[in-house]
Amino acid sequence: VAWPGLVLIQLMRTRRRLTVRTAMLVALFTAFAIGLIPAAAAELTGVPLRPPPAGAATMWVQVVALAAIPGLAAVVELHRAGGTPYPWDPPRRVTWAGPYAYVRNPMQLSMTAILLVVAAALRHWPTAVAGLTSAAVAAGMASGHERSQLTRRWGDEWRRYAEAHRSWLPTWRPRIDHPSEGADDVAVLHLDGRCATCRSIGGWLTRRDPIGLTVADANDDGRIRWRATYRRGADERSGVAAVAAALTHVHLGWAVVGWTIGLPVLSHLAQLVTDVVIVEPHPVGGTDPANR
């Protein structure tokens, strides 16, 4: 216990190995939610944990994974912004992307949902009480402390974000802005206009009136791209990850799909399948006709 804790503290202090810091914190919070809290609640109350039957265990695992998606997607966005979920290892800027376009506290919301699902799976009311208590603490004492810290750190940028998003109840449509880069900053999804699959994806997105997203033909500029490309400020993603990011501009339902597909391991697997089965990588754009 001490060794990984000391390693994590040292990495946070020096701001090195961001991916390692993030992975360690994800492992810590996962063990905390599905292991330590239920075990501690059982020990303190004397109410035993009752694992589900083998046939139902798989279903419960899937429900827990679904509850974890907003939190994991939020961790990915904090990583892109240069930080971790830990309050003393924050990102370098306010992020409006991913789950943060819909709700202010996606990780706390996800943690509460996980604890309630685990409580239902284990038929253990003390774990449910622990989940509701953690939500109450986060919504009460912790929120004031967090608000004052973030206001000092980011000032008007944070106030602007907080005014646009609710703490716990997600909006159905995203509220997307980049106050650090200008309110007119719009995401662009570059697709190959000569590819039938890409045209159908672009048409499908356009018909759903995405917020803060423009669909463009990748053949119209001088840059050569090998896959679909999503670009928003300094954030750039390609292939399946680009389409997943575009889905988050539609509404909450499709955003959950986009967050799921956009998770690091799943996006790589989905990209392999897409390259083999749907559309293989090919050069698009540029001034040389051979690249078209």
Side-chain angles (χ1 to χ4, degrees):
V1 172
W3 180 81
L6 291 172
V7 170
L8 182 59
I9 290 171
Q10 178 65 10
L11 292 177
M12 286 183 177
R13 187 181 69 82
T14 58
R15 302 284 291 184
R16 296 170 53 218
R17 308 282 184 182
L18 176 58
T19 300
V20 175
R21 283 157 33 210
T22 301
M24 292 181 74
L25 284 170
V26 169
L28 174 64
F29 289 136
T30 301
F32 196 73
I34 66 177
L36 179 61
I37 291 179
E43 181 71 20
L44 290 172
T45 62
V47 179
L49 301 171
R50 293 184 291 174
T58 301
M59 180 200 71
W60 284 114
V61 168
Q62 294 179 42
V63 177
V64 169
L66 182 62
I69 286 171
L72 291 174
V75 170
V76 171
E77 294 302 335
L78 291 181
H79 182 276
R80 292 181 183 277
T84 73
Y86 198 59
W88 288 272
D89 188 20
R92 302 185 185 280
R93 57 178 171 81
V94 176
T95 176
W96 294 61
Y100 291 101
Y102 291 85
V103 66
R104 200 188 310 168
N105 297 309
M107 286 184 294
Q108 294 171 347
L109 188 62
S110 195
M111 178 70 80
T112 301
I114 290 171
L115 286 172
L116 294 178
V117 172
V118 169
L122 299 176
R123 293 167 289 174
H124 195 244
W125 64 262
T127 299
V129 172
L132 295 174
T133 301
S134 68
V137 171
M141 294 183 297
S143 65
H145 176 66
E146 179 186 67
R147 188 162 48 248
S148 63
Q149 273 195 334
L150 297 177
T151 301
R152 283 198 303 270
R153 185 178 299 145
W154 286 306
D156 290 340
E157 187 176 358
W158 165 253
R159 293 190 192 94
R160 190 174 173 188
Y161 172 82
E163 289 173 359
H165 299 82
R166 295 188 290 240
S167 295
W168 289 85
L169 184 63
T171 56
W172 178 244
R173 295 275 276 171
R175 297 178 179 178
I176 297 175
D177 196 0
H178 250 317
S180 60
E181 299 175 12
D184 295 330
D185 180 62
V186 175
V188 181
L189 178 66
H190 297 273
L191 297 170
D192 182 5
R194 294 182 173 87
C195 165
T197 302
C198 297
R199 286 199 307 272
S200 64
I201 292 173
W204 183 90
L205 282 167
T206 302
R207 288 193 298 274
R208 278 151 184 80
D209 190 24
I211 294 179
L213 177 72
T214 298
V215 179
D217 190 339
N219 295 282
D220 291 342
D221 62 17
R223 177 180 171 183
I224 298 177
R225 298 178 176 86
W226 285 80
R227 292 187 176 97
T229 303
Y230 171 93
R231 181 174 52 79
R232 182 166 175 236
D235 181 14
E236 184 169 310
R237 314 179 200 187
S238 65
V240 169
V243 177
L247 289 176
T248 66
H249 290 258
V250 180
H251 58 61
L252 184 59
W254 281 113
V256 173
V257 176
W259 300 337
T260 305
I261 299 173
L263 292 176
V265 175
L266 293 180
S267 66
H268 289 302
L269 292 175
Q271 188 64 65
L272 289 174
V273 173
T274 301
D275 289 347
V276 173
V277 178
I278 302 176
V279 179
E280 65 178 354
H282 56 279
V284 179
T287 55
D288 186 352
N291 290 326
R292 292 177 178 264

